[in-house]
Amino acid sequence: MRTADRSVHGGKIMSKSDVDVVVVGAGFSGMYLQKRLRDAGFSHRVLEAGGDVGGTWYWNRYPGARCDISTTDYQYTWDPELHEQWSWSEKHAAQPEILRYAQFVAKKHDLYSGIDFDVRVNDALWSDDTKRWSIHTSTGETIVCRHYVMATGCLSVPKEPDIPGADRFRGDVYVTGRWPHEGVDFSGMKVAVIGTGSSGIQSIPLIADQASKLVVYQRTPNYSIPAFNGPPPQYRVDRLVADRAAYEAEARQSASGVPITMPTVSALSVPRETAWELLETAWLKGELLETGIVFTDVGTNRAANDVVAEFMREKIRAEVQDPATAELLSPRKHPYGTKRPCMDTNYFQTFNRPHVRLVDLNTSPIRTITETGIDFGGESHDFDAIVYATGFDAMTGAIVNVDITGKDGVTLKQKWEHGPHNYLGLTTVGFPNLYMITGPGSPSVLSNMMVSIEQHVDWITDTLVDLRDKGFDTIEATPLAEEAWRKHCTDCADITLFQETDSWYMGANVPGKPRVLFPYIGGVGRYRRICDEVRARDYLGFVLEGAGRRQLNDGPIREIQPDVEMVLDMMATLGLPPIESMSPADARAFSDASSAMRPPGPAVGEIIDGTLPGPGGPLEYRLYRPSTTGPHPVVVYFHGGGWVFGSHTSDDPLCRALCTLADVVIVSVNYRHAPEDRFPAAADDGYAALRWVADNAAALGGVPDRIAVAGWSAGGNVAAVAAQLARDNGGPTLRGQLLLTPVTDGSRQHRSHDENADGYILTKALMEWFWNHYADPEDRSDPRASPLLAADLTGLPPAMIVTAQYDPLRDEGDAYARALESAGVPVQHLRARGHIHTSITMVDALPSGVAPRRRMADALRGFFA
Ligand code: NAP
């Protein structure tokens, strides 16, 4: 189908070879983008390598090809009429039906007339002089455009068969991602299938129905859930009928682009029978996302993940008659969800059929493919056909396959040699006016693609309209914003189990690809809010130029750790009263109630509760001993709570973590609290407790001359003061001081008090409330209240100081680290990026705290080395 050479757009006559926008790809992305561009009056060309619309559903015609997302969710939302005019026959629509849907939409909206089919883009070149892209196509045409959009899909370039002898085979060869349009009849044939990802798992049962012999070559077994296909799920249909707009809005703000009830319970907190019941309920729904979200920690905690993985393996054992084959089909190495889980119809049962054989390539590797078959594991088998279900050069393959040259002659392939660096997964520095739809760095393949596609198309079109309205010709991300986005994506990936697995998500299936988590794992809703915020903040992280004007609005869009942000979001919805509005008694009750709800932390060898003599009476303590053989170095620990609340048990999870990670005895001390006992009671108690522990170290199972202090928040203050008092009052000699987000200066304001005054749990107002209860203004300059103000900081023990970016106390902690360093004290200073005052103490609740806690434990080990 060809379009006319000149066309009319918004009253302007356009040349076909000089347009506002070129779009590559006429799948669901390109189709919707075309519609939006036309409606917005942009001249455009859509170039498609295939012979029809549909993208992935045009190419992937292998037997059994179906969508794993329910048809209630895998459909456009931008045209409400479609919901009346089109009805789906099944929950998991098959490829022909989805292709028909794409064709139906294209006809309804007259999209065909604007698409050039059977045209590939060979290369694209940016000109900084004309501020335009030149696109060269396989038909020899050059098209000049202002904006260039890659709507090329994430799984559109099949991986080349990388098996020795692959080109020798004289029988039929099929690749699932490039299946013949006329279909294939395997009746009576001897067939080999290589690959057991989604494509293999969907096609194998149907190929087995026809073939006389089927050998499946498996390198990695996969988790697969039965699709239980049938009519679209009634509970979703009912919700759509009741309030379609609300349902779609929920999908857009959800984690994966499908409305789903998020879990509240850890897989490790329920007995096995309960876990199995919950998993069974999810399993029976036959929905891809359900089984992975039964528990809160499947994606972040290996032990929790194992609960789901074992449930899946049990299901395989129940279906596959031969126990050895069942074991071979059971994934054991990779955590559930870190490779894309599959959905199947009778996949595991297929291996009960007498003419089907499973070959484990780990024990029987393919030596070579021959003219007539496959040599593997000492055997040689002849085949009539080989089916490659070996996957794709995912996410970046289709983008870098086109030779794209940006500013200064740098190609995208060169720029992405070490990773697909980008901003928002939509743009990349050095390539102005180039956009990717569902590219790396966006939720993309980890989401319902329809939701992500529509969001990207809307963002891009709205941006183009803004640029036009404001007279800008170009938009380009800034290096600072791009680097911050890379860090944010890494922060999100770091708290998951994805990096443990060699998957195509990690680029690991294609030799030479950089190993990073390609999609953005922070969730569809969060991602949408970020993209919206970038526009609302006048294109934060972009430079816009045109008509002699330049707008640079630089900065990072998200620096807070993603799990910390989730906690803050959750707390914001609770509408809790500020602690500073409470009486000390109520604040203590509130603190105790909060503590009771948190995960307990790791098991330790032994816990002993006791009392020690303090200047104002006995002080309670809790001793944590590691399970290793002692004696151990001893850390005297002081809890947080603003000198007002907390106790020797209130930082229990953190004390357990430090005890096990650093292999030390921790003695957590309950010093006297304000307002009943004001300054300097806490300081006096801290020092007295330190002396007592040092004097009794051997009896406590510790090594007498290996003593350090540690503390968090106000406890960090007590620890720092105790270290100074020990230096000035004849001991004990300390090996180190570990201060986590400590209070060091109550005498004046620091910038972070205002910068992080509100919204990060510890507020400026609460800190003032603490100080008011603890010390009179004239006492706050006393170094026993403000250790930063000590006249002399020399001779203090080596310090590890941890400060958090979003903490009102950040700058006074930083200042103490600098002051100690200036005084010649060895200091390790960890500036915990994206953390808040409390987050590093939230053991087993916030995975992003794991790395800082390890650093703290390493520092403790270092003190005693
Ligand atoms: P895939 O998930 O990458 O699976 C490829 C399979 O081939 C894996 O089992 C892989 O083993 C194996 N393999 C690759 N190279 C091999 C070699 N040289 N020798 C032996 N085995 C080899 O690819 P896919 O099945 O085409 O699926 C890709 C993605 O497309 C899916 O994850 C999904 O996102 C999407 N998809 C979706 C649907 C749907 O929604 N219904 C259907 C199909 C595909 P290793 O695991 O050891 O690398």
Side-chain angles (χ1 to χ4, degrees), residues 56-57 60 62 64-69 74 92-93 98 154-155 158-164 176-177 193-202 217-222 288 334 339-343 361-362 366 388-394 445-446 501-505 508-510:
T56 198
W57 302 107
N60 283 272
Y62 61 83
R66 287 179 186 279
C67 183
D68 283 347
I69 299 287
Y74 192 84
H92 298 292
I98 305 175
C154 301
L155 296 156
K159 210 172 72 125
E160 289 298 317
D162 51 357
I163 298 171
T176 48
V193 175
I194 303 175
T196 51
S198 293
S199 305
I201 281 178
Q202 286 190 331
Y217 292 89
Q218 169 189 278
R219 191 163 65 184
T220 309
N222 245 320
L288 181 69
H334 66 280
K339 276 179 188 268
R340 160 75 143 71
C342 306
M343 297 211 80
L361 291 177
N362 299 297
I366 296 178
Y388 289 98
T390 45
F392 298 88
D393 183 353
V445 291
L446 293 175
T501 300
D502 285 338
S503 65
W504 63 258
Y505 291 142
N509 66 330
V510 175

Side-chain angles (χ1 to χ4, degrees), residues 226-481:
F228 297 123
N229 205 6
Q234 196 55 45
Y235 78 105
R236 292 197 181 276
V237 174
D238 290 346
R239 283 198 59 196
L240 281 164
V241 170
D243 191 345
R244 178 172 286 279
Y247 185 92
E248 291 173 353
E250 195 180 324
R252 291 181 190 121
Q253 292 302 331
S254 68
S256 303
V258 176
I260 214 155
T261 308
M262 291 309 281
T264 52
V265 58
S266 157
L268 304 175
S269 67
V270 291
R272 185 180 186 278
E273 307 79 68
T274 314
W276 251 238
E277 269 168 35
L278 293 168
L279 286 165
E280 184 72 23
T281 307
W283 168 273
L284 288 172
K285 282 188 176 171
E287 291 192 37
L288 181 69
L289 303 170
E290 287 285 342
T291 321
I293 57 101
V294 171
F295 303 112
T296 49
D297 40 7
V298 175
T300 53
N301 181 311
R302 188 72 200 242
N305 192 287
D306 278 345
V307 174
V308 180
E310 183 47 29
F311 174 85
M312 297 283 177
R313 289 190 286 264
E314 196 172 284
K315 290 288 186 189
I316 296 170
R317 290 194 289 273
E319 294 298 344
V320 181
Q321 287 154 6
D322 172 36
T325 306
E327 182 52 30
L328 282 184
L329 287 165
S330 298
R332 293 216 175 258
K333 290 196 181 133
H334 66 280
Y336 177 79
T338 57
K339 276 179 188 268
R340 160 75 143 71
C342 306
M343 297 211 80
D344 71 277
T345 301
N346 294 330
Y347 172 66
F348 293 112
Q349 296 87 333
T350 300
F351 294 93
N352 295 331
R353 302 178 74 170
H355 67 297
V356 178
R357 176 175 168 193
L358 178 69
V359 171
D360 171 25
L361 291 177
N362 299 297
T363 51
S364 305
I366 296 178
R367 197 180 66 76
T368 184
I369 294 179
T370 65
E371 282 75 11
T372 57
I374 301 181
D375 286 356
F376 63 95
E379 296 180 43
S380 184
H381 282 242
D382 285 350
F383 293 108
D384 300 307
I386 298 178
V387 175
Y388 289 98
T390 45
F392 298 88
D393 183 353
M395 302 212 69
T396 50
I399 302 175
V400 295
N401 263 11
V402 174
D403 209 356
I404 302 177
T405 308
K407 283 158 90 175
D408 305 320
V410 177
T411 66
L412 194 54
K413 212 176 205 156
Q414 288 166 334
K415 178 176 173 187
W416 282 2
E417 200 183 336
H418 302 295
H421 302 309
N422 63 74
Y423 183 39
L424 305 175
L426 277 159
T427 64
T428 185
V429 174
F431 297 80
N433 294 7
L434 170 71
Y435 314 84
M436 299 164 287
I437 297 189
T438 62
S442 74
S444 184
V445 291
L446 293 175
S447 70
N448 172 6
M449 284 300 247
M450 283 298 199
V451 170
S452 291
I453 282 170
E454 290 190 352
Q455 185 248 336
H456 267 187
V457 167
D458 288 338
W459 194 95
I460 292 169
T461 318
D462 294 345
T463 297
L464 295 187
V465 170
D466 278 351
L467 294 178
R468 183 178 61 189
D469 290 352
K470 292 174 184 170
F472 290 115
D473 296 330
T474 63
I475 179 169
E476 185 186 353
T478 69
L480 189 153

